[in-house]
Amino acid sequence: MVSKHTASSGLFEFLLQMGDNCLVLAHRNSQWCGHGPALEEDIAISNISLDLIGQTQLWLELAGEVEGAGRSADDLAYLRDAFDFRNLLLLERPNEDFGLTLMRQFLFDAWHLPMLKGLTQSSNKRIAEIAEKSVKEVTYHLERSTDLIIRLGDGSAESHRRMQSSLDELWSYTGEMLESDDLDPALISECVVPAGDKVAEAWRQHVTAALKLATLIKPESDFVRRGGKNGIHSEHLGFVLAEMQFLQRAYPGAVW
Amino acid sequence: MSSVNTSPDTDGVGAPVKRKPELPLWEIFIRGQHGMSHRHVGSLHAADAEMAMNNARDVYTRRNEGVSIWAVKSDQIVASSPSDKEPLFEPANSKVYRHPTFFDIPEEVGHM
């Protein structure tokens, strides 16, 4: 199917980005369920997964409506292939250790919150409503991930080393989040989505302040790995989808 | 014996190793609704007060259980000794007049 680049297809793409970001990060976090370093952390990260899955449902449901091809949120989550996913490459990075998982969460939360705050002012009422609901949850996600990266960055020599190497490893994936893409101009001029540079500026301020408190050094490199927003993913997303979509692929239409 | 060491308490050849020190224990109290008192719901580990609040929120209030959380360091609680049970509590058992059971509370009064 050739999609025309109309306002509604741009909106569809944007809603997929929001939904897929939540879905892929929720799946990554859910892989910690039962394996967290402490009971409290295990429950907290599973809770964040559940919040994000709830948000995924809202974004993808709206995406399906905007597309108008009769696809439900479940269809979009379970029956698309990797090249149709629009999530950031950052979020499909493997969990590795809990330090890397927390750093990934922190770098995303610091973008997610200002983005959602901007979306609460959207001229599209449905989008504003979803953002309003999500802001409450994500405010807490950012509070928690910021608190933990500061504690661990400014903690023992070993925790500091792990947080710094997590930051170094993930840094090149943050640029994709902060860049505007070609579907933005129309959506921004119609006040559907907030201007990307405002969100990026809020991200920089929060991240810079938190890293300073965490005694972590912001990497110098401005090399950016990009592709996720255009459906060009790393091999890791394939494994995520294989696990996540197996049941619906093997038993189409299976329900509880 | 399996060659895989699954126990955190041994070093793989059966010798006990020192456990990692755990974070301090906190007792968590939640007030379910306005007008009710805080009730003990359980405990958790946290490095300080802020973390105790965050963890309490995650562990105990995710299903809309409360309007207020108290966290108290467990070592700050003074507890009665189980061996004092008899002198502390038993004298009241045989004195039925100590319990307000001889009149009915009107329904309009509600929770007491």
Side-chain angles (χ1 to χ4, degrees):
Chain A
M1 194 178 90
V2 182
S3 71
K4 284 178 292 175
H5 216 75
T6 59
S8 79
S9 77
L11 182 58
F12 176 63
E13 290 282 313
F14 173 77
L15 293 168
L16 287 184
Q17 284 178 14
M18 294 304 292
D20 291 346
N21 282 342
C22 294
L23 180 58
V24 172
L25 183 58
H27 184 82
R28 276 290 183 228
N29 284 345
S30 77
Q31 292 175 317
W32 277 105
C33 185
H35 303 276
L39 178 142
E40 291 82 354
E41 295 306 329
D42 194 291
I43 293 177
I45 200 152
S46 303
N47 283 339
I48 291 172
S49 277
L50 291 174
D51 287 347
L52 292 173
I53 288 170
Q55 294 174 23
T56 303
Q57 212 165 8
L58 299 171
W59 290 123
L60 293 187
E61 190 189 334
L62 184 55
E65 284 176 33
V66 166
E67 186 195 31
R71 288 200 281 183
S72 68
D74 282 347
D75 293 338
L76 290 169
Y78 294 121
L79 304 177
R80 275 180 303 151
D81 220 330
F83 44 77
D84 285 329
F85 270 75
R86 295 292 178 262
N87 61 281
L88 301 162
L89 296 179
L90 171 72
L91 306 177
E92 66 202 46
R93 298 302 303 158
N95 287 338
E96 294 182 23
D97 63 10
F98 207 65
L100 192 99
T101 296
L102 287 173
M103 184 56 77
R104 182 183 62 201
Q105 184 73 39
F106 165 71
L107 294 170
F108 176 69
D109 290 342
W111 172 86
H112 201 193
L113 184 62
M115 182 50 146
L116 288 170
K117 281 187 174 166
L119 289 174
T120 62
Q121 307 302 315
S122 173
S123 59
N124 181 315
K125 202 165 160 269
R126 295 282 300 284
I127 290 181
E129 281 167 8
I130 296 173
E132 195 74 48
K133 196 165 185 284
S134 308
V135 155
K136 291 175 200 150
E137 294 169 344
V138 174
T139 299
Y140 178 70
H141 298 174
L142 179 60
E143 200 179 298
R144 183 173 185 100
S145 61
T146 303
D147 180 64
L148 286 171
I149 70 124
I150 292 171
R151 283 175 195 278
L152 292 168
D154 190 20
S156 67
E158 174 65 7
S159 72
H160 177 84
R161 184 189 66 74
R162 286 188 187 225
M163 295 319 282
Q164 184 66 54
S165 76
S166 302
L167 179 63
D168 295 345
E169 188 178 330
L170 295 177
W171 191 251
S172 62
Y173 294 93
T174 57
E176 183 181 28
M177 218 162 31
L178 308 175
E179 286 177 341
S180 310
D181 44 66
D182 55 0
L183 56 93
D184 286 348
L187 294 175
I188 292 169
S189 66
E190 291 162 25
C191 298
V192 178
V193 308
D197 52 348
K198 277 194 182 162
V199 177
E201 185 48 35
W203 184 88
R204 282 192 194 96
Q205 277 184 17
H206 184 87
V207 167
T208 303
L211 291 182
K212 198 171 171 214
L213 287 172
T215 70
L216 296 172
I217 295 161
K218 201 159 66 169
E220 296 274 320
S221 165
D222 53 8
F223 171 65
V224 175
R225 289 177 208 271
R226 55 175 76 84
K229 290 202 276 191
N230 296 315
I232 301 159
H233 291 276
S234 63
E235 73 274 24
H236 303 295
L237 183 65
F239 290 97
V240 166
L241 296 186
E243 192 176 84
M244 191 171 76
Q245 297 182 336
F246 166 78
L247 196 105
Q248 280 304 319
R249 301 286 195 174
Y251 305 95
V255 290
W256 285 111
Chain B
M1 195 180 130
S2 158
S3 62
V4 179
N5 173 28
T6 54
S7 165
D9 295 334
T10 62
D11 63 2
V13 290
V17 292
K18 224 176 134 196
R19 290 188 78 126
K20 277 188 293 181
E22 287 192 322
L23 296 173
L25 194 64
W26 297 69
E27 301 301 322
I28 305 303
F29 299 80
I30 308 268
R31 179 158 71 188
Q33 45 181 288
H34 290 292
M36 302 285 278
S37 52
H38 285 73
R39 272 173 183 268
H40 185 235
V41 291
S43 50
L44 50 77
H45 293 98
D48 59 23
E50 195 189 351
M51 195 193 247
M53 271 300 159
N54 279 352
N55 287 346
R57 185 254 189 208
D58 270 310
V59 178
Y60 294 112
T61 70
R62 285 284 304 184
R63 288 166 200 86
N64 203 18
E65 288 95 336
V67 294
S68 164
I69 303 172
W70 285 352
V72 183
K73 266 192 155 177
S74 305
D75 62 12
Q76 297 297 307
I77 290 182
V78 183
S80 64
S81 158
S83 61
D84 284 339
K85 207 173 96 188
E86 291 184 4
L88 281 177
F89 306 115
E90 272 192 14
N93 271 351
S94 57
K95 301 178 184 65
V96 68
Y97 49 83
R98 289 194 176 177
H99 301 277
T101 55
F102 296 101
F103 53 88
D104 298 321
I105 298 169
E107 254 177 44
E108 306 88 86
V109 173
H111 180 83
M112 280 191 77

